[in-house]
Every structure is written in C-alpha cells, then in structure tokens.
Amino acid sequence: AARMLVTRGHRLALRRLLMLLRKRGYNYRTLLLVGSGQTLQEFIRLINVHPYWGFRLAGIIDDSGRESDDTEIAGVKVVGHLG
C-alpha cells in the first residue's frame, strides 16, 4: 500500500511539474493537422481548451478536396491543400 501511495505521489508531482513548464512555454509538441470540416474544428477547440495537454498548432493542411480562399480554420492558419 505504501509503495502505491509513493508511486501516485510521484505521478502527481510529475503532472504538476509538466503543467507548470507548459504554462511557461516549455515541453510542448507542435502539431500540423490534416483535415477539414466539423471534426477538425472540434479537435482544434479541444486543443485550445486544454493547454496543459502540451500541444501547439502550427497549421492545417486542408483535405476537403475543394479549392478555397480560407486562410484560417478556427483561428489556425491553413498552410496547404490536398487533392
């Protein structure tokens, strides 16, 4: 039982340390998203609502197959198109 409490304590401390680092701009992973539509917008919303997950969005490659003049989707820059 004591070992389990120590393990949980270490995990909690590590989580808090990572959250603190992320608040200060460290320990992030940069994502380039490929997608379009409502699912992409919902994913972007989730990433923005949960900054402690440690993701930053670099841009979007639109895979809708249609040419568009959209320069942003949900506030994230469209950097290219597929199709």
Coordinates of all heavy atoms in Angstrom, one line a residue:
A1 N 0.8 -1.2 0.0 CA 0.0 0.0 0.0 C 0.9 1.3 0.0 O 0.6 2.2 -0.7 CB -1.0 0.0 1.2
A2 N 1.9 1.2 0.8 CA 2.8 2.4 0.8 C 3.5 2.7 -0.5 O 3.6 3.8 -0.9 CB 3.9 2.2 1.9
R3 N 3.9 1.6 -1.2 CA 4.5 1.7 -2.5 C 3.6 2.4 -3.5 O 4.0 3.2 -4.3 CB 5.0 0.4 -3.0 CG 5.7 0.5 -4.3 CD 6.1 -0.9 -4.8 NE 7.4 -1.2 -4.2 CZ 8.0 -2.3 -4.3 NH1 7.5 -3.3 -5.1 NH2 9.1 -2.6 -3.7
M4 N 2.3 2.0 -3.4 CA 1.3 2.5 -4.3 C 1.1 4.0 -4.1 O 1.0 4.8 -5.0 CB 0.0 1.8 -4.2 CG -1.0 2.1 -5.3 SD -2.3 0.9 -5.4 CE -3.4 1.6 -4.2
L5 N 1.1 4.4 -2.8 CA 1.0 5.8 -2.5 C 2.2 6.6 -3.0 O 2.0 7.8 -3.5 CB 0.8 6.0 -1.0 CG -0.6 5.7 -0.4 CD1 -0.6 5.8 1.1 CD2 -1.7 6.5 -1.0
V6 N 3.4 6.1 -2.8 CA 4.6 6.8 -3.3 C 4.5 6.9 -4.8 O 4.8 8.0 -5.4 CB 5.8 6.0 -2.9 CG1 7.1 6.5 -3.6 CG2 6.0 6.1 -1.4
T7 N 4.1 5.9 -5.5 CA 4.0 5.9 -7.0 C 3.0 7.0 -7.4 O 3.3 7.8 -8.3 CB 3.6 4.6 -7.6 OG1 4.6 3.6 -7.2 CG2 3.5 4.6 -9.1
R8 N 1.8 7.0 -6.8 CA 0.8 8.0 -7.1 C 1.3 9.4 -6.8 O 1.1 10.4 -7.5 CB -0.5 7.8 -6.3 CG -1.2 6.6 -6.9 CD -2.6 6.5 -6.1 NE -3.3 5.3 -6.7 CZ -4.4 4.9 -6.2 NH1 -5.0 5.6 -5.1 NH2 -5.0 3.9 -6.7
G9 N 2.1 9.6 -5.7 CA 2.7 10.9 -5.4 C 3.6 11.3 -6.4 O 3.6 12.5 -6.8
H10 N 4.5 10.4 -6.9 CA 5.4 10.8 -7.9 C 4.7 11.2 -9.2 O 5.1 12.2 -9.9 CB 6.4 9.6 -8.2 CG 7.5 9.5 -7.2 ND1 7.5 8.5 -6.3 CD2 8.6 10.3 -7.0 CE1 8.6 8.6 -5.6 NE2 9.2 9.7 -5.9
R11 N 3.7 10.5 -9.6 CA 2.9 10.8 -10.8 C 2.3 12.2 -10.7 O 2.3 13.0 -11.6 CB 1.9 9.7 -11.1 CG 2.5 8.5 -11.6 CD 1.4 7.5 -11.9 NE 2.0 6.2 -12.4 CZ 1.3 5.1 -12.6 NH1 0.0 5.1 -12.4 NH2 1.9 4.0 -13.0
L12 N 1.7 12.4 -9.5 CA 1.0 13.7 -9.3 C 2.1 14.9 -9.4 O 1.8 15.9 -10.0 CB 0.3 13.7 -8.0 CG -0.4 15.0 -7.6 CD1 -1.5 15.3 -8.7 CD2 -1.1 14.9 -6.2
A13 N 3.2 14.7 -8.8 CA 4.3 15.7 -8.8 C 4.7 15.9 -10.2 O 5.0 17.1 -10.6 CB 5.4 15.3 -7.9
L14 N 4.9 14.8 -11.0 CA 5.4 15.0 -12.4 C 4.3 15.7 -13.2 O 4.7 16.6 -14.0 CB 5.6 13.6 -13.0 CG 6.1 13.6 -14.4 CD1 7.4 14.4 -14.6 CD2 6.3 12.2 -14.9
R15 N 3.1 15.4 -13.0 CA 2.0 16.1 -13.7 C 2.0 17.6 -13.4 O 1.9 18.4 -14.3 CB 0.6 15.5 -13.4 CG -0.1 15.0 -14.5 CD -1.5 14.5 -14.1 NE -1.5 13.1 -14.5 CZ -2.3 12.2 -14.0 NH1 -3.2 12.5 -13.0 NH2 -2.3 11.0 -14.4
R16 N 2.1 17.9 -12.2 CA 2.1 19.3 -11.8 C 3.4 20.0 -12.4 O 3.3 21.2 -12.8 CB 2.1 19.5 -10.3 CG 0.7 19.1 -9.8 CD 0.5 19.4 -8.3 NE -0.8 19.1 -7.9 CZ -1.2 19.3 -6.7 NH1 -0.4 19.7 -5.8 NH2 -2.5 19.0 -6.4
L17 N 4.5 19.4 -12.4 CA 5.7 20.0 -12.9 C 5.5 20.2 -14.4 O 5.8 21.3 -14.9 CB 6.9 19.0 -12.7 CG 8.2 19.5 -13.4 CD1 8.7 20.8 -12.8 CD2 9.3 18.4 -13.2
L18 N 5.0 19.2 -15.2 CA 4.7 19.4 -16.6 C 3.7 20.5 -16.9 O 3.9 21.3 -17.8 CB 4.2 18.1 -17.2 CG 5.3 17.0 -17.3 CD1 4.6 15.7 -17.8 CD2 6.5 17.4 -18.1
M19 N 2.7 20.6 -16.1 CA 1.7 21.7 -16.2 C 2.4 23.1 -16.0 O 2.2 24.0 -16.8 CB 0.5 21.5 -15.3 CG -0.4 20.4 -15.7 SD -1.7 20.1 -14.5 CE -2.7 21.6 -14.8
L20 N 3.3 23.2 -15.0 CA 4.0 24.4 -14.7 C 4.9 24.8 -15.9 O 4.9 25.9 -16.3 CB 4.8 24.3 -13.4 CG 5.6 25.5 -13.1 CD1 4.7 26.7 -12.8 CD2 6.5 25.2 -11.9
L21 N 5.6 23.8 -16.4 CA 6.5 24.0 -17.5 C 5.7 24.5 -18.8 O 6.1 25.4 -19.5 CB 7.3 22.8 -17.9 CG 8.4 22.4 -16.9 CD1 9.0 21.0 -17.2 CD2 9.5 23.4 -16.9
R22 N 4.6 23.9 -19.0 CA 3.8 24.2 -20.2 C 3.2 25.6 -20.0 O 3.1 26.4 -21.0 CB 2.7 23.2 -20.4 CG 3.2 21.9 -20.9 CD 2.2 20.8 -21.0 NE 2.9 19.6 -21.4 CZ 2.5 18.4 -21.1 NH1 1.4 18.2 -20.4 NH2 3.2 17.3 -21.6
K23 N 2.8 26.0 -18.8 CA 2.4 27.4 -18.6 C 3.4 28.4 -18.9 O 3.2 29.5 -19.4 CB 1.9 27.6 -17.1 CG 0.6 27.1 -16.8 CD 0.2 27.5 -15.4 CE -1.2 27.1 -15.1 NZ -1.6 27.5 -13.7
R24 N 4.7 28.0 -18.7 CA 5.8 28.9 -19.0 C 6.4 28.8 -20.4 O 7.4 29.4 -20.8 CB 6.9 28.6 -18.0 CG 6.5 29.0 -16.6 CD 7.6 28.9 -15.6 NE 7.1 29.3 -14.3 CZ 7.9 29.3 -13.2 NH1 9.1 29.0 -13.3 NH2 7.3 29.6 -12.1
G25 N 5.7 27.9 -21.3 CA 6.1 27.8 -22.7 C 7.0 26.7 -23.0 O 7.6 26.7 -24.1
Y26 N 7.3 25.8 -22.1 CA 8.2 24.7 -22.3 C 7.4 23.3 -22.5 O 6.2 23.3 -22.1 CB 9.2 24.5 -21.2 CG 10.0 25.7 -21.0 CD1 9.8 26.6 -20.0 CD2 11.1 26.0 -21.8 CE1 10.6 27.8 -19.8 CE2 11.9 27.1 -21.7 CZ 11.6 28.0 -20.6 OH 12.4 29.1 -20.5
N27 N 8.1 22.3 -23.0 CA 7.6 21.0 -23.0 C 6.3 20.9 -23.9 O 5.3 20.2 -23.5 CB 7.3 20.4 -21.6 CG 7.1 18.9 -21.7 OD1 7.8 18.2 -22.4 ND2 6.1 18.4 -20.9
Y28 N 6.3 21.5 -25.0 CA 5.1 21.4 -26.0 C 5.5 20.5 -27.2 O 6.7 20.4 -27.5 CB 4.8 22.8 -26.5 CG 3.8 23.5 -25.5 CD1 4.3 24.3 -24.6 CD2 2.5 23.4 -25.7 CE1 3.5 25.0 -23.7 CE2 1.6 24.1 -24.8 CZ 2.2 24.9 -23.8 OH 1.3 25.6 -23.0
R29 N 4.5 20.0 -27.8 CA 4.7 19.3 -29.1 C 3.9 20.1 -30.1 O 2.8 20.5 -29.8 CB 4.1 17.9 -29.0 CG 5.0 17.0 -28.2 CD 4.5 15.6 -28.0 NE 5.4 14.8 -27.3 CZ 5.6 14.8 -26.0 NH1 4.9 15.6 -25.2 NH2 6.4 14.0 -25.4
T30 N 4.5 20.3 -31.2 CA 3.9 21.1 -32.3 C 3.2 20.2 -33.3 O 3.8 19.2 -33.7 CB 5.0 22.0 -33.0 OG1 5.6 22.8 -32.0 CG2 4.3 22.9 -34.1
L31 N 1.9 20.5 -33.6 CA 1.2 19.7 -34.5 C 0.9 20.4 -35.8 O 0.6 21.6 -35.8 CB -0.2 19.3 -33.9 CG -0.2 18.5 -32.5 CD1 -1.6 18.3 -32.0 CD2 0.5 17.2 -32.7
L32 N 0.9 19.6 -36.9 CA 0.4 20.1 -38.2 C -0.8 19.2 -38.5 O -0.6 18.0 -38.6 CB 1.5 19.9 -39.3 CG 1.1 20.3 -40.7 CD1 0.7 21.8 -40.8 CD2 2.2 20.0 -41.7
L33 N -1.9 19.8 -38.5 CA -3.2 19.0 -38.7 C -3.5 18.8 -40.2 O -3.3 19.7 -41.0 CB -4.3 19.7 -38.0 CG -4.2 20.0 -36.5 CD1 -5.4 20.7 -36.0 CD2 -4.0 18.7 -35.7
V34 N -4.0 17.7 -40.5 CA -4.6 17.4 -41.9 C -6.0 17.0 -41.7 O -6.4 16.1 -41.0 CB -3.8 16.2 -42.5 CG1 -4.4 15.9 -43.9 CG2 -2.3 16.5 -42.6
G35 N -6.9 17.8 -42.3 CA -8.3 17.5 -42.2 C -9.2 18.7 -42.6 O -8.7 19.6 -43.2
S36 N -10.5 18.6 -42.4 CA -11.4 19.6 -42.7 C -12.7 19.4 -42.0 O -12.9 18.3 -41.4 CB -11.7 19.7 -44.2 OG -12.2 18.5 -44.7
G37 N -13.6 20.3 -42.0 CA -14.9 20.1 -41.5 C -15.1 20.3 -40.0 O -14.2 20.7 -39.3
Q38 N -16.2 19.8 -39.5 CA -16.6 19.9 -38.1 C -15.7 19.2 -37.2 O -15.4 19.6 -36.1 CB -18.1 19.5 -38.0 CG -18.6 19.8 -36.6 CD -18.7 21.3 -36.3 OE1 -18.9 22.1 -37.2 NE2 -18.4 21.7 -35.1
T39 N -15.2 18.0 -37.6 CA -14.3 17.2 -36.8 C -13.0 17.9 -36.5 O -12.6 18.0 -35.4 CB -14.1 15.8 -37.4 OG1 -15.3 15.2 -37.6 CG2 -13.2 14.9 -36.5
L40 N -12.5 18.5 -37.5 CA -11.2 19.3 -37.4 C -11.5 20.5 -36.4 O -10.7 20.7 -35.5 CB -10.7 19.8 -38.7 CG -9.5 20.7 -38.7 CD1 -8.3 19.9 -38.2 CD2 -9.3 21.4 -40.0
Q41 N -12.6 21.2 -36.6 CA -12.9 22.3 -35.8 C -13.0 21.9 -34.3 O -12.6 22.6 -33.4 CB -14.1 23.1 -36.3 CG -13.8 23.8 -37.6 CD -15.0 24.5 -38.1 OE1 -15.9 24.8 -37.4 NE2 -15.0 24.7 -39.4
E42 N -13.7 20.8 -34.1 CA -13.9 20.3 -32.7 C -12.5 19.9 -32.1 O -12.3 20.2 -30.9 CB -14.8 19.1 -32.7 CG -15.1 18.5 -31.3 CD -15.7 19.4 -30.3 OE1 -16.3 20.5 -30.7 OE2 -15.6 19.2 -29.1
F43 N -11.6 19.3 -32.9 CA -10.3 18.9 -32.4 C -9.5 20.2 -32.0 O -8.9 20.2 -30.9 CB -9.6 18.1 -33.4 CG -8.3 17.6 -32.9 CD1 -8.2 16.5 -32.0 CD2 -7.1 18.1 -33.3 CE1 -7.0 16.0 -31.5 CE2 -5.9 17.7 -32.9 CZ -5.8 16.6 -32.0
I44 N -9.6 21.2 -32.8 CA -8.9 22.4 -32.5 C -9.4 23.1 -31.3 O -8.7 23.5 -30.4 CB -9.0 23.4 -33.7 CG1 -8.3 22.9 -34.9 CG2 -8.6 24.8 -33.3 CD1 -8.5 23.7 -36.2
R45 N -10.7 23.0 -31.1 CA -11.4 23.6 -29.9 C -10.8 22.8 -28.6 O -10.5 23.4 -27.6 CB -12.9 23.5 -29.9 CG -13.6 24.2 -28.8 CD -15.0 23.9 -28.7 NE -15.3 22.5 -28.3 CZ -15.2 22.1 -27.0 NH1 -14.8 22.9 -26.1 NH2 -15.4 20.8 -26.7
L46 N -10.8 21.5 -28.7 CA -10.3 20.7 -27.6 C -8.8 21.0 -27.2 O -8.5 21.2 -26.1 CB -10.4 19.2 -27.9 CG -11.8 18.6 -27.8 CD1 -11.8 17.2 -28.4 CD2 -12.3 18.6 -26.4
I47 N -8.0 21.2 -28.3 CA -6.6 21.5 -28.0 C -6.5 22.9 -27.3 O -5.7 23.1 -26.4 CB -5.8 21.5 -29.3 CG1 -5.7 20.1 -29.9 CG2 -4.4 22.1 -29.1 CD1 -5.0 19.1 -29.1
N48 N -7.3 23.8 -27.8 CA -7.3 25.2 -27.2 C -7.8 25.2 -25.8 O -7.4 26.0 -25.0 CB -8.0 26.2 -28.1 CG -7.3 26.4 -29.4 OD1 -6.0 26.3 -29.5 ND2 -8.0 26.7 -30.5
V49 N -8.8 24.4 -25.5 CA -9.4 24.4 -24.2 C -8.5 23.7 -23.2 O -8.6 24.0 -22.0 CB -10.8 23.7 -24.3 CG1 -11.4 23.5 -22.9 CG2 -11.8 24.6 -25.1
H50 N -7.7 22.8 -23.6 CA -6.8 22.0 -22.7 C -5.3 22.3 -23.0 O -4.6 21.4 -23.5 CB -7.1 20.5 -22.9 CG -8.5 20.2 -22.6 ND1 -9.0 20.1 -21.3 CD2 -9.6 19.9 -23.4 CE1 -10.3 19.8 -21.4 NE2 -10.7 19.6 -22.7
P51 N -4.8 23.5 -22.7 CA -3.4 23.8 -23.0 C -2.5 22.9 -22.2 O -1.3 22.7 -22.7 CB -3.3 25.3 -22.6 CG -4.4 25.5 -21.6 CD -5.5 24.6 -22.0
Y52 N -2.9 22.4 -21.1 CA -2.0 21.5 -20.3 C -1.7 20.2 -21.0 O -0.9 19.4 -20.5 CB -2.6 21.3 -18.9 CG -4.0 20.8 -18.9 CD1 -4.2 19.4 -18.9 CD2 -5.0 21.7 -18.8 CE1 -5.5 19.0 -18.9 CE2 -6.3 21.2 -18.8 CZ -6.6 19.9 -18.9 OH -7.9 19.4 -18.9
W53 N -2.4 19.9 -22.1 CA -2.1 18.6 -22.9 C -0.7 18.8 -23.5 O -0.1 17.8 -23.9 CB -3.1 18.4 -23.9 CG -4.4 17.8 -23.4 CD1 -4.7 17.5 -22.1 CD2 -5.6 17.6 -24.1 NE1 -6.0 17.0 -22.0 CE2 -6.6 17.1 -23.2 CE3 -6.0 17.8 -25.4 CZ2 -7.9 16.8 -23.6 CZ3 -7.3 17.4 -25.8 CH2 -8.2 16.9 -24.9
G54 N -0.3 20.0 -23.7 CA 1.0 20.2 -24.3 C 1.1 20.3 -25.8 O 2.2 19.9 -26.3
F55 N 0.1 20.7 -26.5 CA 0.1 20.7 -27.9 C 0.0 22.2 -28.4 O -0.8 23.0 -27.8 CB -1.0 19.9 -28.6 CG -0.9 18.5 -28.3 CD1 -1.9 17.8 -27.6 CD2 0.1 17.7 -28.8 CE1 -1.9 16.5 -27.3 CE2 0.2 16.4 -28.5 CZ -0.8 15.7 -27.8
R56 N 0.8 22.5 -29.4 CA 0.6 23.8 -30.1 C 0.3 23.5 -31.6 O 0.9 22.6 -32.2 CB 1.9 24.6 -30.0 CG 2.1 25.2 -28.6 CD 3.2 26.1 -28.6 NE 3.4 26.7 -27.3 CZ 4.5 27.3 -26.9 NH1 5.5 27.3 -27.6 NH2 4.5 27.7 -25.6
L57 N -0.5 24.3 -32.2 CA -0.9 24.0 -33.6 C -0.1 24.9 -34.5 O -0.2 26.1 -34.4 CB -2.4 24.3 -33.7 CG -3.3 23.4 -32.8 CD1 -4.8 23.8 -32.9 CD2 -3.1 22.0 -33.1
A58 N 0.6 24.3 -35.4 CA 1.5 25.0 -36.4 C 0.7 25.4 -37.6 O 0.9 26.4 -38.2 CB 2.6 24.2 -36.8
G59 N -0.3 24.6 -38.0 CA -1.1 24.9 -39.1 C -2.0 23.7 -39.5 O -2.0 22.7 -38.9
I60 N -2.7 24.0 -40.7 CA -3.6 22.9 -41.2 C -3.3 22.7 -42.7 O -3.1 23.6 -43.4 CB -5.1 23.4 -41.0 CG1 -5.4 23.6 -39.6 CG2 -6.1 22.5 -41.7 CD1 -6.8 24.3 -39.4
I61 N -3.4 21.5 -43.0 CA -3.4 21.1 -44.5 C -4.9 20.6 -44.7 O -5.3 19.7 -44.1 CB -2.4 20.0 -44.8 CG1 -1.0 20.5 -44.6 CG2 -2.6 19.5 -46.2 CD1 0.1 19.6 -44.9
D62 N -5.6 21.4 -45.5 CA -7.0 21.2 -45.8 C -7.1 20.0 -46.8 O -6.6 20.1 -47.9 CB -7.6 22.4 -46.4 CG -9.1 22.4 -46.6 OD1 -9.7 21.3 -46.5 OD2 -9.7 23.4 -46.9
D63 N -7.8 19.0 -46.4 CA -8.0 17.8 -47.3 C -9.4 17.7 -47.8 O -9.8 16.6 -48.3 CB -7.6 16.5 -46.5 CG -8.7 16.1 -45.5 OD1 -9.5 16.9 -45.1 OD2 -8.6 15.0 -45.0
S64 N -10.1 18.8 -47.9 CA -11.5 18.8 -48.3 C -11.7 18.5 -49.8 O -12.7 18.2 -50.3 CB -12.2 20.1 -48.0 OG -11.7 21.2 -48.7
G65 N -10.6 18.7 -50.6 CA -10.6 18.5 -52.0 C -11.1 19.7 -52.8 O -11.2 19.6 -54.0
R66 N -11.5 20.7 -52.1 CA -12.0 21.9 -52.8 C -11.0 23.0 -52.6 O -10.4 23.2 -51.6 CB -13.4 22.3 -52.3 CG -13.4 22.7 -50.8 CD -14.8 23.1 -50.4 NE -14.8 23.3 -49.0 CZ -14.4 24.5 -48.3 NH1 -13.9 25.5 -49.0 NH2 -14.5 24.6 -47.0
E67 N -10.9 23.8 -53.7 CA -10.0 25.0 -53.6 C -10.8 26.1 -52.8 O -11.9 26.3 -53.0 CB -9.6 25.5 -55.0 CG -8.6 24.6 -55.6 CD -7.2 24.6 -54.9 OE1 -6.8 25.6 -54.3 OE2 -6.7 23.5 -54.8
S68 N -10.1 26.7 -51.9 CA -10.7 27.7 -51.1 C -9.8 28.8 -50.8 O -8.6 28.6 -50.8 CB -11.2 27.0 -49.7 OG -11.6 27.9 -48.8
D69 N -10.4 30.0 -50.5 CA -9.6 31.1 -50.2 C -9.4 31.2 -48.7 O -8.9 32.2 -48.2 CB -10.2 32.4 -50.7 CG -10.1 32.4 -52.3 OD1 -9.2 31.8 -52.8 OD2 -11.0 33.1 -52.9
D70 N -9.9 30.2 -47.9 CA -9.8 30.3 -46.5 C -8.3 30.3 -46.1 O -7.5 29.5 -46.5 CB -10.4 29.0 -45.8 CG -11.9 29.0 -46.0 OD1 -12.5 30.1 -46.2 OD2 -12.5 27.9 -45.8
T71 N -7.9 31.3 -45.3 CA -6.6 31.4 -44.8 C -6.5 30.8 -43.4 O -5.4 30.6 -42.9 CB -6.1 32.8 -44.8 OG1 -6.9 33.6 -44.0 CG2 -6.0 33.3 -46.2
E72 N -7.6 30.7 -42.7 CA -7.7 30.1 -41.4 C -8.9 29.3 -41.2 O -9.9 29.5 -41.8 CB -7.7 31.3 -40.3 CG -6.5 32.0 -40.1 CD -6.6 33.0 -38.9 OE1 -7.7 33.2 -38.4 OE2 -5.5 33.5 -38.6
I73 N -8.8 28.3 -40.3 CA -9.9 27.5 -39.9 C -9.9 27.5 -38.4 O -8.9 27.1 -37.8 CB -9.9 26.0 -40.4 CG1 -9.9 26.0 -41.9 CG2 -11.0 25.2 -39.8 CD1 -9.8 24.7 -42.6
A74 N -10.9 28.0 -37.7 CA -11.0 28.1 -36.3 C -9.8 28.8 -35.7 O -9.3 28.4 -34.6 CB -11.2 26.7 -35.7
G75 N -9.2 29.8 -36.4 CA -8.1 30.5 -35.9 C -6.8 30.0 -36.2 O -5.8 30.5 -35.7
V76 N -6.7 28.8 -36.9 CA -5.4 28.2 -37.2 C -5.1 28.4 -38.7 O -6.0 28.1 -39.5 CB -5.4 26.7 -36.8 CG1 -4.1 26.1 -37.1 CG2 -5.7 26.5 -35.3
K77 N -3.9 28.8 -39.0 CA -3.6 29.1 -40.4 C -3.6 27.8 -41.3 O -3.1 26.8 -40.9 CB -2.2 29.7 -40.4 CG -1.7 30.2 -41.8 CD -0.4 30.8 -41.8 CE 0.0 31.2 -43.2 NZ 1.3 31.9 -43.2
V78 N -4.2 28.0 -42.5 CA -4.2 26.9 -43.5 C -2.9 27.1 -44.3 O -2.7 28.2 -44.9 CB -5.4 27.0 -44.4 CG1 -5.3 26.0 -45.5 CG2 -6.7 26.8 -43.7
V79 N -2.1 26.1 -44.2 CA -0.7 26.2 -44.9 C -0.7 25.4 -46.2 O 0.3 25.5 -46.9 CB 0.4 25.7 -43.9 CG1 0.5 26.7 -42.7 CG2 0.2 24.3 -43.5
G80 N -1.7 24.7 -46.5 CA -1.7 23.9 -47.8 C -3.0 23.2 -48.0 O -3.9 23.2 -47.1
H81 N -3.1 22.6 -49.2 CA -4.3 21.8 -49.6 C -3.9 20.5 -50.1 O -2.9 20.4 -50.8 CB -5.1 22.6 -50.6 CG -5.6 23.9 -50.1 ND1 -6.8 24.0 -49.5 CD2 -5.1 25.2 -50.2 CE1 -7.0 25.3 -49.2 NE2 -6.0 26.0 -49.6
L82 N -4.7 19.5 -49.9 CA -4.6 18.2 -50.6 C -5.7 18.0 -51.6 O -6.8 18.5 -51.4 CB -4.7 17.0 -49.5 CG -3.5 16.8 -48.6 CD1 -3.8 15.7 -47.6 CD2 -2.2 16.6 -49.3
G83 N -5.4 17.2 -52.6 CA -6.5 16.9 -53.6 C -6.6 17.8 -54.6 O -6.8 18.4 -55.4

